[in-house]
Amino acid sequence: MLTNPDLRNKAMTLRPEGLIKGTKGGKREVAYPIESIEELSMIDQVLRDESVKFLSETIDSGEPFYLIHSFSKIHNDNYPAPKYKGKSPAAMPVRDAMIEVDDITGELMALLKEKGVLENTLVIFTSDNGANEDTWPDSGYHPWRGGKGTTWEGGVRVPGVVYWKGMIEPGQINNGLMDLTDIYMTSLRLGGVMDKLPDNLYFDGIDQTAFLLAENGKSRRQVVYMWNRTDFCALRWLDYKIHFKVFNTVIPRRNIDASVLQDIGTAPWVFNLNMDPKEMASTGHQYFEWGVPQATKFMKAHIGTMKKYPNTDIGLGI
Amino acid sequence: MLTNPDLRNKAMTLRPEGLIKGTKGGKREVAYPIESIEELSMIDQVLRDESVKFLSETIDSGEPFYLIHSFSKIHNDNYPAPKYKGKSPAAMPVRDAMIEVDDITGELMALLKEKGVLENTLVIFTSDNGANEDTWPDSGYHPWRGGKGTTWEGGVRVPGVVYWKGMIEPGQINNGLMDLTDIYMTSLRLGGVMDKLPDNLYFDGIDQTAFLLAENGKSRRQVVYMWNRTDFCALRWLDYKIHFKVFNTVIPRRNIDASVLQDIGTAPWVFNLNMDPKEMASTGHQYFEWGVPQATKFMKAHIGTMKKYPNTDIGLGI
Amino acid sequence: MLTNPDLRNKAMTLRPEGLIKGTKGGKREVAYPIESIEELSMIDQVLRDESVKFLSETIDSGEPFYLIHSFSKIHNDNYPAPKYKGKSPAAMPVRDAMIEVDDITGELMALLKEKGVLENTLVIFTSDNGANEDTWPDSGYHPWRGGKGTTWEGGVRVPGVVYWKGMIEPGQINNGLMDLTDIYMTSLRLGGVMDKLPDNLYFDGIDQTAFLLAENGKSRRQVVYMWNRTDFCALRWLDYKIHFKVFNTVIPRRNIDASVLQDIGTAPWVFNLNMDPKEMASTGHQYFEWGVPQATKFMKAHIGTMKKYPNTDIGLGI
Amino acid sequence: MLTNPDLRNKAMTLRPEGLIKGTKGGKREVAYPIESIEELSMIDQVLRDESVKFLSETIDSGEPFYLIHSFSKIHNDNYPAPKYKGKSPAAMPVRDAMIEVDDITGELMALLKEKGVLENTLVIFTSDNGANEDTWPDSGYHPWRGGKGTTWEGGVRVPGVVYWKGMIEPGQINNGLMDLTDIYMTSLRLGGVMDKLPDNLYFDGIDQTAFLLAENGKSRRQVVYMWNRTDFCALRWLDYKIHFKVFNTVIPRRNIDASVLQDIGTAPWVFNLNMDPKEMASTGHQYFEWGVPQATKFMKAHIGTMKKYPNTDIGLGI
Amino acid sequence: MLTNPDLRNKAMTLRPEGLIKGTKGGKREVAYPIESIEELSMIDQVLRDESVKFLSETIDSGEPFYLIHSFSKIHNDNYPAPKYKGKSPAAMPVRDAMIEVDDITGELMALLKEKGVLENTLVIFTSDNGANEDTWPDSGYHPWRGGKGTTWEGGVRVPGVVYWKGMIEPGQINNGLMDLTDIYMTSLRLGGVMDKLPDNLYFDGIDQTAFLLAENGKSRRQVVYMWNRTDFCALRWLDYKIHFKVFNTVIPRRNIDASVLQDIGTAPWVFNLNMDPKEMASTGHQYFEWGVPQATKFMKAHIGTMKKYPNTDIGLGI
Amino acid sequence: MLTNPDLRNKAMTLRPEGLIKGTKGGKREVAYPIESIEELSMIDQVLRDESVKFLSETIDSGEPFYLIHSFSKIHNDNYPAPKYKGKSPAAMPVRDAMIEVDDITGELMALLKEKGVLENTLVIFTSDNGANEDTWPDSGYHPWRGGKGTTWEGGVRVPGVVYWKGMIEPGQINNGLMDLTDIYMTSLRLGGVMDKLPDNLYFDGIDQTAFLLAENGKSRRQVVYMWNRTDFCALRWLDYKIHFKVFNTVIPRRNIDASVLQDIGTAPWVFNLNMDPKEMASTGHQYFEWGVPQATKFMKAHIGTMKKYPNTDIGLGI
């Protein structure tokens, strides 16, 4: 027999410590240890409490604040907090978790309202990657190709909701391009500290304040660049998505767990996302031969910034 | 909605300038601007006129000449000149374009004949890559695997017709290997300037004068090497094709637009083109284990020349 | 026609010389030339005779000995020695060859017994790679995924039989991990020369003497690392197999002849070999998110040894 | 050469006659002959004129009316009427055709309003099959699996808009099941002629009057049955889709042109459309073993009606 | 939204009743109702108790007995009885269930021994189909192609253990063919009631008494026939497996849930199970052209018995 | 172990008898027994001798004659007669066999010439199916899709050479459709016995005498119908091939041994053989919607003849 209980038990003892609390260069402590599924299921409740505490204290103090509230759910496996179990119509963990996330969002918004700061707080709700469809039925879902772990639309296209009472007209839908890095620059601008950016660094983000706030604001972003670790894979420009490396999913619905990154031969693959949002039929040289050189220029300029301002190795890569 | 007319119009303004005329280091002008499909359809007529003018003037002047006449057709999309529309039995653009190319070839040959230089002019008709099958029904066609943009036979095997009145016996068929680079060296030899080649450069071509002209001439070329950009992919030796990297076409008939370049694991893939010209069943180690070391030696020697005489970056690569 | 007899004959003259005999830095001679299938079929008989001669002389001389007896069979193509043709129930070459190998093994063991050295000889019977399934019906066979030339279990999992009269209790089955490199270190220990290893080299092997000899011995090996040429591809740890690069077999049963080595995107592929020995369903982040960081640590440490003690180029690579 | 102009011309003379006008058992005439792409492009304009004429005359006459207005667009190939060419943001035929269809719908609605019959006219806008994705970029588009010509959701799920001024509260969204056959029965009920249905025929439709008109109306339809010609393929029940035969699309995006109908082995394939609307991961026996017997009962009862009331052969089948 | 709680709850109420107890033509009662996972997990304990009761009473009464003890486990989903949870080294449900089945088998055997009937009881332990690999990691596992729901070896090849104290020499391994139907005929023979078989019925089984009991007994079965519902699919003869219809598994490891039954074109597919037990490379006409006619004869004779003695419809088919 | 020598030997005794000689209703004898590969290799030499004897005797007697000379080669496995071994440039069995077939054809033609009957003998050289590519390198080869055992062009398109000294102008190439059944009707016409055909039978063949003999003869055949056993699969009409059932080859190059016959869903698959002779891209409804109804009419008329004049069961079917 391959396994013996000793080996298995050994594997089982490899656990994350739990929620870590710390400051840059400062001390680091396990704020909430996680040693069981039960504790794991409460993680977003704990995080909510932390944010409530931080917001309450900071707002009361009159200080400006900048909060990134990251949910643990809806990743996989999903363990909704006990009071959310079976609360979704489908009564499935991922859907129950969605309701939990929705509730917490509402609680945080209610707090902002109660504290009277909605008129001077910009709220952005978004995700850092597309849904992981690998683990159905405990996974998100979307109509796109690919999923988390790829640079197909299923991995990089995420919803974004922006709210600012009195500043942004509710109900608008806008298809301008926006990148997560733009949040950083826009925040700096709104915080009035744009001039404090160091000169010797390169910032990918674009200040999108006008896009978000102006009536009929237009995105200042022309191109979105998509990377997988150290590989530049694709870019979005106008209606077009141009792939320079592609992911092939070997088993249906197993993107992050069973897709391979592949070099393209001679020509990039081009998709017209307006006509073909599922990226099924490359338009090829037939429809876009004049635009590929333009896209290639963008790519080269972008990679040029990487060469001029190389990434700092902060230990994330292999 | 994703698209707005502004974006689309912007993309549409990205056009090629048209036919460029210039000399090395000299001036560069747009000799024939192209701003419409109608102008595009006339491109080979314009090019024919240019060649006719060049040939007439040069021959009349008594100067020797060296002309490379490149057709725009039959690339994709094909827009036959108006008078060729519907002229092929199939009445399809690619076939109409073939007739246009055929006519122009005949016109140029007739000019050579009329000018009385057929006896001292070597004419070679060939292509720089296999047909692009991606865009059926507006594409070439062939019985091989792969197509333009791959190093399968469909991408690299092209017909070659050689004509010299009085010097080459018409009607011969010869299966000796010949590479496009051989045309360069053979031309130098026939032009009597072989001794003017610089010493500090490496030339891949082989002088095939004897192969083309001698009775029962034998090709001096033993191996053909096949690259994709900076990747050495395959070589042809005797009846064998040995692949060191391969192209996998993800969607049928979408070679250049949907194929990926893949590393081979431990062993090269070997095909016997005599028994298997469609490269369907690799012979593997079973039939060729003694020859692979020999092929590997060729590959190493070839790559060695690249290391000793590195390519000059003339801006084509990524 | 593509082929002419001259070319074919030329290819056919590329043959191995035969069995080479030599010593490091000493002379090198063709001990047994091979120029026909008939001579090829006798190769294991010749090798057996060599080993019998070596063993007899060395044992009689009272010297200690270390013999690696490598069979030519059961590689492909298999040409059993004449007296073994049709001797297997299936009467197929690969099976006849198996009987020949079995007989020779028995003959060598009988010699050790006859010479009275079984009590002080450690005998290990194993293989350096999994069966090549490409060439059915002339191939080995196994229940695993992949085959020779891949790092799936079909390429790297091999049987191992260890025998030492009076020292190892017969009939034991043990699933501890053992790597071929461990044989080297274990042999050094048993030979009493462990202290003569040079300091400036790195040895991957582990001394498994206790594992093999002690009652209920436990393997000291925690991880097995799997490479393809210069690519680190996978590791085995506990019940888990973690792939960092994978092989995709393009045509069923054509591993070494038609598989490609592929980069994985963002996350390694994890298989639980206890539950899924055929490596069919990756467990992914769902079951193993805590273990992957551990596996990545092993990988980094392992690759670190390669950087510190780089491989010597002995001419095997490309 | 395969083709000659005679053969081609012969094929080209096989044309549809054009729009046919007739009454059951009455005369049949070509109301609008179609012999060119130009005439074809006007077909929906002609049909609109016919409907306008019919509606105007009938409403003026005070007679009740029942009109099925079928658009020719957006089928393939799409040839928008001249005034719609380039009118969509994407300026592609299929999108221009959508605008033409949208305009005509608006014109017919405006006519109903002008004639003052909106309060007593039920308007249903829907489609008889999902979009044909075979012919991109001249095709519809949807997020589902399969397309026209299959019984995957892409072939059978269509939008349905129901309008009745003063009778149906605008803006409602309802996910109750409704089948095209239900329109027939509901129309009969609303027309007050339900009691005139012959006794010896079987009607698949369900009277959905209450569903459409009642506040919070609930669909009376429990199951939707899906056929391909004479093959019963699938049914929808609650959240579940149960396939008894399936379509496999051999080439991506080539449903009607390159999919095959396949028998399922032992067990039906079950999808939970709520969790998996793209029908990617069958839930199998794991999640639904208790429901499959129920679905099978529905299927048997349904097929029983076919046996008791066999289809009349009206010449549509093979 | 598609789902509402009402619909979901409705689906959830569709449950099996539980264990049914009854006699042919006699009364039918729910002996053990199942309304929860907890009750489901105890099902094999309940069945064991039933068998223990039946065996004890019958043996004590001196009556002969014939018991078919069917396990609920290891089907899917597996819910081991509470005391078996985590008891397997892998601590996975399917493995825990295996241990539960093993224990119960041991308990029943111990009872036979305790009651002193081992010497006159024939015990057969086997399965009615191969493992269902669809639901990994909660599934069985095997090295064959296909799985439950197909007629590849993975669906039809099962282990069989036969035990009779004093009558069958323990430890024998025999590869003679045996079909489940043979158990019926062999039981009749051993029960001495062979002569009571009705004349007007056809029995597929073969009396294998001699095969099981005689020293070096040889199977009297020459051919095994494999059906899928009403489709004759394959037969086994000597070393050969001849497929007349095949299953193609559309998604890896999804046999019963995602395989299709396909007609073969002109020629059956032939596999040599001795050389190729995984049914990977059909031997085709190349190796077996003389045997296929023989196999076809077997098939025709077998199907002839179906025509002469048609199956009684007992309500299992569609 | 699965196999034992008894079973294997039993399988090996199942052999064909050899060449059978007989007349309809008359006696039947084994004219040339075949019990070894050596005897098998001589089979075409024996058949040649038979034809030579028949031709010589019949011509000398002054009788008219009709000879169908069927080659055993180049089927698989190919065993060229001893004197042809290694005689082809590739020195492979299938190529050596081609040379043997070529020689025999030449010998029979020489005999006709020697006997002075070339002027009144029509000679047709053709094949009854496309090459079997399954068994490379011992197989034929062609550029088409599919192979023997399918109704793709690879299975049904064969060369045909027609010769009649003085009656047919040599060197002509003609692409008119001709079916093997036309040979029968044409022979009857040329034999002057057309009026002796029975009235109660249906003949698929067409008298193509004028096509073969007239200057610029045109084929009278408009459609070719393609069947697989009892399934009507496809038809050829003008440049078009319309498939009603298709073959999908599961493993590359394994047509007859690993292809499945599949039902098409709603619409036939249409290929334009002029533009796409490899049948790679179905033109679908986009290019041919007007022609499919015409093709369907041909199909129905053709199947109608099968219903009116059902096939006689001569024991070939399953």
Side-chain angles (χ1 to χ4, degrees), chain B residues 84-140:
Chain B
Y84 289 100
K85 273 197 187 162
K87 283 296 174 292
S88 66
M92 294 291 230
V94 65
R95 299 289 172 87
D96 294 346
M98 247 182 239
I99 290 186
E100 183 176 358
V101 163
D102 189 55
D103 269 13
I104 294 171
T105 307
E107 290 165 17
L108 295 177
M109 290 303 287
L111 178 64
L112 295 179
K113 186 176 180 187
E114 177 197 320
K115 293 287 181 189
V117 295
L118 275 185
E119 279 82 357
N120 58 349
T121 306
L122 172 66
V123 181
I124 300 178
F125 186 95
T126 187
S127 169
D128 62 342
N129 53 251
N132 176 352
E133 285 196 326
D134 292 28
T135 55
W136 191 93
D138 188 28
S139 74

Side-chain angles (χ1 to χ4, degrees), chain C residues 253-282:
Chain C
R253 288 183 64 83
R254 301 286 287 171
N255 293 297
I256 204 171
D257 290 334
S259 59
V260 291
L261 179 61
Q262 296 184 303
D263 284 324
I264 282 171
T266 309
W269 296 5
V270 181
F271 297 86
N272 177 333
L273 293 189
N274 184 7
M275 293 303 289
D276 181 18
K278 287 193 288 183
E279 294 168 292
M280 294 182 79
S282 83

Side-chain angles (χ1 to χ4, degrees), chain A residues 246-299:
Chain A
V246 292
F247 284 89
N248 189 24
T249 301
V250 179
I251 305 177
R253 289 182 64 83
R254 302 286 286 173
N255 292 298
I256 204 171
D257 290 335
S259 60
V260 291
L261 179 62
Q262 296 185 302
D263 284 322
I264 283 173
T266 308
W269 296 5
V270 181
F271 296 88
N272 178 333
L273 292 189
N274 184 8
M275 294 304 290
D276 181 17
K278 288 193 287 182
E279 294 167 293
M280 294 181 78
S282 83
T283 62
H285 51 294
Q286 206 176 10
Y287 292 98
F288 198 57
E289 59 184 297
W290 299 335
V292 165
Q294 180 64 30
T296 306
K297 269 187 226 165
F298 287 126
M299 177 190 70

Side-chain angles (χ1 to χ4, degrees), chain B residues 175 239 262 266 274 282 285, chain C residues 1-3 229 254 262:
Chain B
N175 71 341
D239 286 356
Q262 296 185 302
T266 308
N274 184 10
S282 84
H285 50 297
Chain C
M1 192 199 321
L2 278 172
T3 294
R229 294 173 178 268
R254 301 286 287 171
Q262 296 184 303

Side-chain angles (χ1 to χ4, degrees), chain B residues 21 48-58 111:
Chain B
K21 197 168 189 171
R48 190 256 335 268
D49 292 346
E50 287 286 331
S51 286
V52 164
K53 185 159 169 282
F54 167 80
L55 286 174
S56 299
E57 292 174 0
T58 313
L111 178 64

Side-chain angles (χ1 to χ4, degrees), chain E residues 137-156:
Chain E
D138 187 28
S139 73
Y141 210 95
H142 52 74
W144 320 117
R145 181 171 180 177
K148 180 183 172 183
T150 73
T151 47
W152 295 108
E153 289 299 281
V156 301

Side-chain angles (χ1 to χ4, degrees), chain E residues 254-265:
Chain E
R254 301 287 284 173
N255 293 298
I256 204 170
D257 289 334
S259 60
V260 291
L261 179 61
Q262 297 184 302
D263 284 322
I264 283 174

Side-chain angles (χ1 to χ4, degrees), chain D residues 246-296:
Chain D
V246 291
F247 284 89
N248 189 23
T249 300
V250 179
I251 304 177
R253 288 183 65 80
R254 302 286 286 172
N255 293 297
I256 204 171
D257 290 334
S259 60
V260 290
L261 178 63
Q262 297 184 301
D263 284 322
I264 283 173
T266 308
W269 295 5
V270 180
F271 297 87
N272 178 334
L273 292 188
N274 184 7
M275 295 302 291
D276 180 18
K278 288 194 287 182
E279 293 168 293
M280 294 181 78
S282 83
T283 61
H285 51 294
Q286 207 174 7
Y287 293 98
F288 197 56
E289 60 185 297
W290 299 335
V292 165
Q294 181 63 30
T296 305

